[in-house]
Amino acid sequence: MKKKRIVIALGHEALGRTLPQQREAAARTAKAVADFIRSDYQVVITHSNGPQVGMIHTALNEFTRLHPEYTHTPTAVSSAMSQGYIGYDLQSAIRTELMGRGIYKTVSTILTQVVVDPYDEAFYHPTKVIGMLMNKEEAEEEEKKGNHVTEVEGGYRRIVASPKPMDIVEIDAVRALLDADQVVIACGGGGIPVLAQGNRLQGASAVIEKDLAAGKLAEFLDADMLVILTGVDKVCLHYGTEDEEKLDTLTVAEAKKYLAEGEFGAGTMAPKIEAAIDFIGESAIRCALVTKLNHADGDIEGGMGTLIKK
């Protein structure tokens, strides 16, 4: 009998923000991942990288400022670095947890490139804040390089586009490892954004929304379920108000309606709902779960969150 296939998207709540926090969070996350594997799922993991890629970008920019003989590090390279070191902690923690349960599987991280459309409207309206805090002179220098900046509290920071994922370059490698019943970590941080230029892939100055990349990954792998781990136990209507209503279930039609009505915050819950809608499509079999990871023992909590299906 064919095993069910699941894609688990980890938010920053499941990863922490510093190196020690990340190692501790990876160990907790490994317990939830191992539970699915013990239940005989084939598992692919993807993850956020906001704090981590910001740290890398800031550190490398500061390094080049102190040592002008070194070249500037592109956003895509910072994204690749974050995939590597987050993947390292995750695969180590998951391997340890699995072996402790007598389960012997290889856990592999794939540096994953995700193709975006150069004509995506997002490139004309960048919104993702990245990198270090700059003063006015430094911000003006960034603009002279063709980069976009925005004023924030205490100074200025770079902003980049957040285009939609179109294709996953290494999808065949992910599929091959899954078919071999191995555990895969892929599309970290939404993937390394690239533009297809003939036979060449060019890194893009962008950050892909990781939930949308997770949905695309689940779609391409023909997964049965997309699990999005976040900071809240359920999807809510009227979030943060006296009328807040937690939802146990949500149909695709209802999700589309509430999304159009602006019920879900842009950059927070909205991308998760969009990913679920796109992944499920017209399927009566696929479903998505939005829930929270219990920080004490790594279990999924909150009455198994909000289940979204056709």
Side-chain angles (χ1 to χ4, degrees):
M1 182 179 176
K2 182 183 176 182
K3 290 186 176 183
K4 288 191 174 182
R5 190 167 281 184
I6 185 170
V7 172
I8 303 174
L10 307 175
H12 72 263
E13 289 283 338
L15 283 176
R17 292 180 175 273
T18 67
L19 290 174
Q21 285 178 2
Q22 181 173 296
R23 284 192 293 270
E24 293 172 8
R28 289 193 299 267
T29 299
K31 296 180 184 297
V33 172
D35 285 343
F36 281 110
I37 294 170
R38 186 177 56 188
S39 299
D40 218 22
Y41 281 93
Q42 288 182 333
V43 176
V44 181
I45 300 128
T46 186
H47 56 79
S48 67
N49 71 343
Q52 292 85 354
V53 80
M55 178 180 67
I56 292 168
H57 194 268
T58 299
L60 291 174
N61 274 354
E62 183 65 20
F63 180 79
T64 54
R65 183 162 61 177
L66 294 174
H67 303 276
E69 66 273 21
Y70 287 88
T71 56
H72 174 74
T73 304
T75 305
V77 174
S78 296
S79 178
M81 289 179 173
S82 74
Q83 282 191 7
Y85 100 78
I86 295 171
Y88 162 68
D89 275 345
L90 281 174
Q91 69 185 44
S92 178
I94 294 167
R95 178 183 180 275
T96 299
E97 183 67 29
L98 290 177
M99 291 189 72
R101 301 186 188 199
I103 302 171
Y104 300 94
K105 289 181 184 289
T106 300
V107 186
S108 302
T109 298
I110 296 181
L111 293 185
T112 319
Q113 300 171 97
V114 175
V115 178
V116 297
D117 183 352
Y119 300 107
D120 191 305
E121 281 294 318
F123 283 109
Y124 303 100
H125 306 285
T127 58
K128 286 284 186 180
V129 179
I130 65 167
M132 64 182 184
L133 193 67
M134 299 177 287
N135 59 35
K136 187 174 182 180
E137 291 73 24
E138 290 168 332
E140 288 173 351
E141 284 300 315
E142 282 296 316
E143 289 184 321
K144 287 177 183 177
K145 297 175 187 174
N147 296 322
H148 297 275
V149 300
T150 186
E151 190 169 3
V152 297
E153 184 178 353
Y156 300 81
R157 292 179 70 189
R158 272 192 67 193
I159 50 172
V160 297
S162 183
K164 290 187 176 181
M166 304 297 294
D167 197 10
I168 299 171
V169 178
E170 290 78 17
I171 192 65
D172 288 341
V174 177
R175 196 176 286 120
L177 286 170
L178 268 187
D179 289 343
D181 203 26
Q182 304 304 304
V183 184
V184 187
I185 301 164
C187 289
I192 304 163
V194 294
L195 303 169
Q197 299 178 345
N199 292 330
R200 184 170 178 265
L201 296 173
Q202 173 67 43
S205 183
V207 174
I208 301 169
E209 181 60 60
K210 61 94 180 168
D211 293 312
L212 297 181
K216 185 65 71 176
L217 181 63
E219 176 190 339
F220 284 177
L221 293 173
D222 194 22
D224 298 278
M225 189 179 199
L226 171 65
V227 176
I228 300 176
L229 299 182
T230 186
V232 295
D233 57 356
K234 293 180 187 290
V235 177
C236 298
L237 298 180
H238 318 300
Y239 180 70
T241 71
E242 292 181 356
D243 299 322
E244 182 176 294
E245 178 186 353
K246 294 184 177 181
L247 302 175
D248 294 323
T249 61
L250 194 59
T251 67
V252 169
E254 290 170 338
K256 288 179 179 178
K257 174 178 176 291
Y258 295 139
L259 190 64
E261 292 172 352
E263 277 287 354
F264 308 123
T268 53
M269 188 56 71
K272 296 169 178 54
I273 300 300
E274 288 177 34
I277 291 170
D278 291 344
F279 165 63
I280 295 168
E282 297 300 320
S283 174
I285 299 173
R286 292 177 176 177
C287 63
L289 177 68
V290 180
T291 189
K292 183 178 182 179
L293 195 69
N294 187 316
H295 276 222
D297 54 20
D299 289 336
I300 288 177
E301 66 174 20
M304 288 304 289
T306 301
L307 186 66
I308 306 171
K309 55 186 180 179
K310 187 64 177 175

